[in-house]
Structure formats: structure tokens, C-alpha cells
Amino acid sequence: MHDRNQEQFTAWSAPLLSRRGFLGDVYTGLAGIGLTHLLAAELRGDGPAADSTSGQPAWQPGLGLTHLPAKARRVLQVFCPGAASHMDLWEHKPALETYHDRPLPGAENFVSFQGKNGNLMRSPWPFVPGGTSGKMISSLLPHMARHVDDIAFVHSMTSKTNTHGPGCVFMSTGHVQEGFPSTGAWLSYALGSANENLPAYVAIPDIRGEPPNGKANWSNGFLPAQHQAIVLGAHLPIRNLQRPEGISAEEEQATRDFLQTLNARHAAANPGSSELQARVAAYALAAKMQMSAPEVTDLAAESESAHKLYGTDDSNPLKAAYARNCLLARRLLERGVRFVNLYCASRASGVDGLLNWDAHKTLKSDYERHCPIFDQPTAALLTDLKQRGLLADTLILWTTEFGRMPTHQAGTSGRDHNPDGFTCWMMGAGVRGGTSFGATDEFGRKAVDQPVTVWDFYATVLRLLGFDHKRLTWYYNGLDRRLTDVHGRVIEDILA
């Protein structure tokens, strides 16, 4: 049997080594690939496919199928690293006005991340009503205030850590330790790409740098390597995308065709090598992106009114750079990218609060620097998505790694880390806008009304995307791993 298989393989492979045989077989193979692609495209949908025997959804990853009817088809996650203060942005605490400069009751000697705390500290800025709902929001965010009627605020978030790196990784992957897949990687694995010329998952770092723990925030973890994010930005073009000088398009295509044949043979001989398959897929995607990437990143194609809306030409270079990334995020989403991570601010620095929202010492000056960068461009992105009808099937998340203390740090006018209560929010597809779920206590110290974990937050995200978070798993190291670990409950109250 072995000899017969060897003879058959030799007989099949011999003409492939000739020019005529090679071209003939490539033509036939490409026709089959095209047919398979067309059939796979027909399988992509927005709801579950029923299993004929069990009646349960016969879900398979990467085909656009879901466990449940989906409200959202894509996700934009705006991440503000540095632990943005909930009681200075999103959750109004009148008691801080009343008890300003008095000790926090029952915690007069409380020691937090950077040491002893001083007295309670009111927000340096008044809160004002926004939208028709009158939701109270910081006066630092006049543009975002126009969107509160479409937002579901979760004011009772909690974290497992009070350290920035693990906190960012926890909010991005559902695990404090590095090495687990990010939310975008899970979605790439679950749904696959909706655009064959662009990646399923893109991370857009801030011009000031990567967030704490860097690439671990958009890692594929133990999922196949093809599901990690492609890093892209208006200030950060994809490297090595252009064809080298002296190589014609015909020569490049012939080389690709030959490499495709060699790669297919090598992959067949090494079926368990996801890194090899991801590398092959990455090179194939890179070839397609030689045409698509320059188009999607060409912000000059946008109208003057669009640039004015976002503030891309603002005199503040940091605001203008973030605005261009917001505009790029919209262009990626409308072209079928499944998940976009958009970062506003970056890692910690030698001066607390300089590069991100980590306002330990000088809260007022730090946030008066950060909020104008964030406010107009982010609000413009939300407005633009809504005007284009994309909000109907796009889920928008605003996240940060944890909150801040209601007191000031001893000897400073800033706030220390607080993992026991903070705010995140959702907007868009399937979300009940104009709602506020849960709350911290009267001072903003701890989540007391319906506390929410990161796992609850992402169980809800997956439900909106059409997935049962307990069934979206990957077997690794002896366990069926999940984005929500072994926890998570859907926050039904914020679902439309």
C-alpha cells in the first residue's frame, strides 16, 4: 500500500514539475479555491444554523455563524489606559461636594496603591445634564454629553487588580496574566473575516505609544496566530507593504503562485502548526492589502466637513493625531473589519499622568490636558457611525482598567488607584441607550449596587454578538478556555 501511494504521488507530482503541468494544475486548483470561497461566503450570516438532529445551532468558527441571533456584527472598543476617574467623568457624586476635605468615613487611615490617602476630594469640574435624559456628565466632556441618550453606563465595574499592566490585560483578555487571547482575537476566531482584503482585527495605538503591557492587550494567546491584531494607525503605516523596486507585478504574481503551491505542501505535511498557517495567511493578506490598505488609510479622501467634525487639523498635535485615528477607525469598520481597538493615551511614564489618565498628583491639569484630546474626536466618531447607519449593527465599548479613589493621595491633588468601583459603557447594536446600571457608594469608593465583573461585561458583549459565552471555548492545557474564564453573567438590564 505504501508503494502504491508513492507511485500515485510520483505520477501526480511529475507533471507539476514541468512548466505546462504546473500552470495547468494551478489553474484547476484556483478554480476549486474560488468555488469553495463562493460557497463559504453563502454560509456567512447573522444568525445560528440549526442542527438537523439536535435542533441546537450547528456553530462552526470562522464562517460568520453564531450561537444565537446577533444584534452586532462588529465592535469598536475605545480604551483609555491609565485608569480614568469615574467620579470626574461619568458618575456624579454630590456627596463629594458636601464632604469635601473631610476624612472618608471608616477609612481614615486607608493605604492604597501608592500609600496613605488624604481627605475626600470633590471633582474640580461641575457636572452638567446631557441629552434629553438629563444624565449628569462632567463639563469637561461637552461633545460626549450629546450622546448620553444612546449610552448604557455600567457604574459598578470591579477589577481583580490595582496595577496598570495586569489591569489592562485583564480588561482586554478576561485574565490578569499574559498569554490569553484578547477579546478581538476571540471574535476573529469565532466569526472570521468579513473582508478578504483587510484583517478581521485591528489595534490602533495612540501616537504617544502602546498601552501598559503593550501587545499582550491584542494578543491571540493560545488561539491560532492568525487571530492576533494587525497594528495600524494614521501615524503608523503597515511596514514592508509596497512591492520592491525592480520587481514587476507579473513577476510578483508568478512568485506568489509558486509559493502558494509550496506552502500548501508544507502545510499538509505539518497540519498542527498554527504559526506556519498564520504566517502563510499573513503573507496572503499582505499581498491583498497592497491594494486595500492604501485606500483605507487615505484620509485625504474624506471631505473637509468630516475632517472638521473630527478635528484632524486641530492646533493640538495630540488631539489631531487621535482624531485621525478615530477617522481611520470608522473607515475600517465600514469596510468590514470585525474588531477595532482604538487607544486614547498610552503607557505610564516617569511623570504620572503625562501620557495617560493616571492622575496621581495633579488631577486637574492632567485631565484638562487629556479630555480635550478625547472628547471631540470620540464624539465625532460616534456621530459619524450613527449618521451612516453603522450604529445599528456596531457595538461600541468604552473601557479603562480600573477607577480612582474619591480621596486625594496624601500630599498631592491627585487620586490613587481603585479597583473596587469604576465605570465602563456600551453603545450601539442591541444596547438600551440612556440607561445607568449599578452604582458605587455615595463617595465613589466601592461598587455597592449590582457589582459587575469584567467577565459579566464580556458575557454581555458576546451575547450582543450572538454568542453564548459558556460555549465559545478553545481546548488548551487540559481545559476548555473562555474569554469569561469560569465566570460571567449577562447584564440583561442594558439590552434593548
Side-chain angles (χ1 to χ4, degrees), residues 145-386:
R146 301 170 189 159
H147 290 286
V148 295
D149 292 340
D150 292 321
I151 293 174
F153 292 93
V154 182
H155 288 310
S156 52
M157 291 292 300
T158 60
S159 180
K160 288 182 63 178
T161 176
N162 67 352
T163 305
H164 290 296
C168 287
V169 170
F170 185 39
M171 181 56 72
S172 299
T173 70
H175 296 78
V176 173
Q177 302 86 359
E178 293 188 18
F180 288 85
S182 60
T183 309
W186 277 111
L187 187 59
S188 172
Y189 159 68
L191 286 177
S193 177
N195 185 329
E196 64 179 13
N197 296 322
L198 289 171
Y201 179 23
V202 172
I204 307 179
D206 193 276
I207 194 171
R208 289 164 281 188
E210 294 182 352
N213 282 38
K215 296 173 179 59
N217 291 282
W218 51 79
S219 169
N220 61 291
F222 44 72
L223 293 177
Q226 71 197 67
H227 300 301
Q228 65 183 328
I230 297 294
V231 178
L232 181 61
H235 63 288
L236 196 65
I238 298 176
R239 295 176 297 174
N240 305 320
L241 198 61
Q242 298 301 318
R243 186 172 66 248
E245 294 184 8
I247 302 296
S248 69
E250 292 76 13
E251 289 173 320
E252 183 180 32
Q253 186 60 51
T255 302
R256 288 182 195 157
D257 292 342
F258 181 63
L259 285 175
Q260 183 179 18
T261 302
L262 297 180
N263 288 334
R265 289 186 182 180
H266 197 63
N270 300 273
S273 177
S274 70
E275 290 188 1
L276 169 65
Q277 295 168 11
R279 186 179 299 175
V280 171
Y283 281 123
L285 178 61
K288 296 173 182 177
M289 288 180 66
Q290 285 184 322
M291 296 297 293
S292 61
E295 186 277 330
V296 76
T297 58
D298 182 16
L299 303 187
E302 295 287 333
S303 66
E304 183 179 348
S305 61
H307 284 280
K308 184 177 180 180
L309 175 69
Y310 282 83
T312 60
D313 296 323
D314 195 270
S315 59
N316 180 342
L318 296 179
K319 177 181 174 181
Y322 175 64
R324 289 190 287 271
N325 279 344
C326 286
L327 189 52
L328 174 62
R330 190 265 288 163
R331 292 175 66 85
L332 290 167
L333 290 166
E334 69 181 344
R335 286 161 175 76
V337 174
R338 293 285 193 189
F339 200 104
V340 175
N341 275 132
L342 174 64
Y343 291 90
C344 183
S346 64
R347 63 192 181 278
S349 65
V351 179
D352 291 325
L354 178 63
L355 298 179
N356 64 21
W357 299 78
D358 193 23
H360 280 281
K361 296 180 174 64
T362 52
L363 174 74
K364 188 174 187 299
S365 60
D366 287 343
Y367 278 33
E368 287 175 351
R369 181 170 62 254
H370 292 308
C371 283
I373 295 171
F374 166 79
D375 184 39
Q376 179 189 345
T378 308
L381 175 54
L382 304 183
T383 297
D384 205 2
L385 290 171
K386 188 173 184 178

Side-chain angles (χ1 to χ4, degrees), residues 74-153:
R74 66 190 73 84
V75 177
L76 166 67
Q77 183 174 25
V78 182
F79 200 117
C80 287
S85 174
H86 52 296
M87 79 280 293
D88 293 301
L89 299 178
W90 313 113
E91 191 179 17
H92 187 214
K93 293 298 177 185
L96 290 180
E97 293 279 345
T98 304
Y99 295 95
H100 173 69
D101 206 27
R102 300 184 192 178
L104 176 63
E108 290 81 359
N109 297 310
F110 184 77
V111 175
S112 54
F113 181 74
Q114 285 200 354
K116 191 176 184 302
N117 283 261
N119 292 334
L120 291 167
M121 185 175 72
R122 66 184 172 219
S123 179
W125 313 276
F127 271 58
V128 295
T132 58
S133 64
K135 166 71 177 177
M136 299 296 286
I137 188 172
S138 174
S139 56
L140 277 177
L141 301 173
H143 295 277
M144 286 300 303
R146 301 170 189 159
H147 290 286
V148 295
D149 292 340
D150 292 321
I151 293 174
F153 292 93

